[in-house]
Amino acid sequence: MTTVTDDPSGVKTAHVVLDEALGRDWHDSSLDVDLVKVRLTSLQHRRELEAAGFLVKPSWVNWIAPLLDSEQAFLSRLPLKERQSVRQAARRAEANGVELVVLEEVTERDLQRFLELYDRQVARMERGINYARRQQRQLARRLDSLLAVHAYAGDRLVGGCLGWLRPDRAMVQLRFSAVDDGARQGMLSRVLYSTALEAARHRGLTWASLGNDPSLFGHTAQPGLFRFKARLGFRPVPTQAIPPKVTGDEAELVVRMRALAEPSLSLAYDGDDPVRGDDGFPEALPLRAVRYSEHDVPPGGLPVSGFPIPVECRRIPADSAVAARRAEAALLRSYGTVLSKPR
């Protein structure tokens, strides 16, 4: 049986069982869906699903990196431009009088102040989902296991990040971050992360996570988030590779780009055998990136230069009405004027 969900961003997703996924023509123009998804309990039918155009993939990915011995060692692994961005952000925060504070203990009041800042950030997002508010009760019950960094301009909270301390994995999991609108231009999030990672080193932790994201970047998570985390030296692994296992696998078919970002990016399995990554990364099936677009890929148009996973490109035929609206919007942006239609 097909269940179709229509989320606030306008993406229509058909949730189906395996037999229906393989036995139906999902490109039939009479079907009004953007995505088709099948929840998988095993990878037994991976070959059949991939032959039918589906990607077989983890539902979510976790971004992780070794903390190394110092901030300098961590930054040395990043591209030169990103190292410069981190240092520039730190100088700008200092010049603007922004004070970074690592909270020794997180109180309910501290948590509430951060959530209010996070609320405002999500409200500015085109496809934002307030995951922090959804987990508010869980966060409040585990205040003693939280690591928090707050950024203040005078008495005003202008940024913050919040993470779980995972001594069982020697890891800090940075779950949520938020900055006010003005601080975004100063790249304050980079300073928040650097401060949190240094605090984790002082606590004897050796790994860091930048949290979990859906494995499709172009829906609730955006391609810019993928590029940001990759540039900071973090790599995505299937979330279930890091205990406890809270998510599983799925098959995904992108039917049309109508309500997705242009382009979008999806992370899928690449290969049949789990591998243990270098630097002590957990054992997991390797991943590849699949770039979806209505257009041919321009030279050099791949997501992140030098990113250590293969990248494949798939062109999704454009819906003619949607393509016309996008072209009109691009024209308006180009000229900066309102063009009236002829009578």
Side-chain angles (χ1 to χ4, degrees):
M1 176 182 292
T2 302
T3 301
V4 177
T5 58
D6 189 354
D7 66 25
S9 66
V11 175
K12 293 187 176 182
T13 304
H15 302 271
V16 302
V17 297
L18 177 67
D19 288 345
E20 187 172 11
L22 295 174
R24 191 166 185 176
D25 177 12
W26 293 105
H27 297 284
D28 182 342
S29 59
S30 65
L31 297 177
D32 184 23
V33 296
D34 302 300
L35 300 176
V36 184
K37 289 193 175 187
V38 187
R39 182 175 296 177
L40 302 177
T41 57
S42 76
L43 301 182
Q44 178 183 354
H45 298 282
R46 177 178 168 184
R47 291 287 177 267
E48 300 165 74
L49 287 161
E50 290 177 344
F54 285 80
L55 294 183
V56 176
K57 54 190 300 195
S59 302
W60 290 68
V61 292
N62 196 321
W63 293 83
I64 62 174
L67 281 171
L68 304 181
D69 296 332
S70 66
E71 181 180 32
Q72 182 178 357
F74 187 89
L75 292 178
S76 70
R77 301 170 67 246
L78 306 187
L80 174 61
K81 187 174 181 180
E82 187 56 38
R83 294 200 300 272
Q84 292 172 337
S85 293
V86 172
R87 288 165 179 152
Q88 178 186 357
R91 290 194 297 269
R92 189 173 296 180
E94 183 178 4
N96 291 337
V98 175
E99 181 184 7
L100 278 294
V101 178
V102 179
L103 277 62
E104 293 298 327
E105 295 182 357
V106 181
T107 67
E108 289 191 17
R109 173 58 182 157
D110 295 327
L111 175 61
Q112 187 59 36
R113 290 193 71 186
F114 172 79
L115 290 174
E116 290 168 359
L117 179 67
Y118 191 86
D119 291 342
R120 295 193 294 272
Q121 176 171 282
V122 172
R124 296 192 300 266
M125 297 178 178
E126 183 179 355
R127 296 181 172 92
I129 296 178
N130 200 326
Y131 289 111
R133 281 293 182 187
R134 290 182 178 185
Q135 298 182 30
Q136 180 175 353
R137 290 184 180 179
Q138 182 185 15
L139 293 167
R141 286 197 300 266
R142 300 176 58 186
L143 292 173
D144 60 345
S145 66
L146 296 181
L147 173 66
V149 178
H150 283 184
Y152 293 94
D155 294 331
R156 185 167 61 95
L157 182 68
V158 296
C161 68
L162 198 64
W164 295 120
L165 294 168
R166 292 282 309 276
D168 60 316
R169 309 298 298 180
M171 176 181 287
V172 59
Q173 287 187 281
L174 301 180
R175 300 289 300 279
F176 306 107
S177 69
V179 296
D180 74 8
D181 204 22
R184 292 176 66 85
Q185 303 305 318
M187 301 181 290
L188 181 59
S189 58
R190 287 174 168 81
V191 188
L192 289 164
Y193 287 141
S194 295
T195 305
L197 297 185
E198 185 64 14
R201 290 187 193 97
H202 283 308
R203 294 174 185 248
L205 304 178
T206 56
W207 284 88
S209 162
L210 277 189
N212 299 301
D213 293 319
S215 56
L216 173 62
F217 293 83
H219 183 198
T220 55
Q222 294 299 295
L225 182 64
F226 175 96
R227 290 189 291 269
F228 174 73
K229 292 186 176 183
R231 286 197 302 262
L232 284 179
F234 287 77
R235 296 188 195 175
V237 299
T239 293
Q240 57 265 38
I242 303 175
K245 181 178 178 179
V246 294
T247 62
D249 297 318
E250 66 184 16
E252 168 196 277
L253 178 68
V254 174
V255 179
R256 61 188 182 186
M257 301 285 295
R258 179 187 62 91
L260 297 177
E262 169 60 53
S264 291
L265 195 73
S266 194
L267 299 180
Y269 289 126
D270 184 47
D272 300 317
D273 299 318
V275 297
R276 179 171 292 280
D278 55 4
D279 297 329
F281 277 78
E283 184 175 83
L285 284 174
L287 298 175
R288 73 186 193 277
V290 178
R291 182 187 189 275
Y292 289 117
S293 176
E294 292 179 345
H295 309 287
D296 294 330
V297 182
L302 300 182
V304 178
S305 176
F307 192 69
I309 63 176
V311 180
E312 169 191 335
C313 300
R314 293 191 182 185
R315 187 172 182 272
I316 306 298
D319 177 285
S320 57
V322 174
R325 287 197 298 272
R326 283 181 171 165
E328 182 179 8
L331 187 63
L332 291 173
R333 288 194 300 271
S334 174
Y335 285 96
T337 58
V338 178
L339 302 182
S340 62
K341 295 183 178 179
R343 295 182 181 276

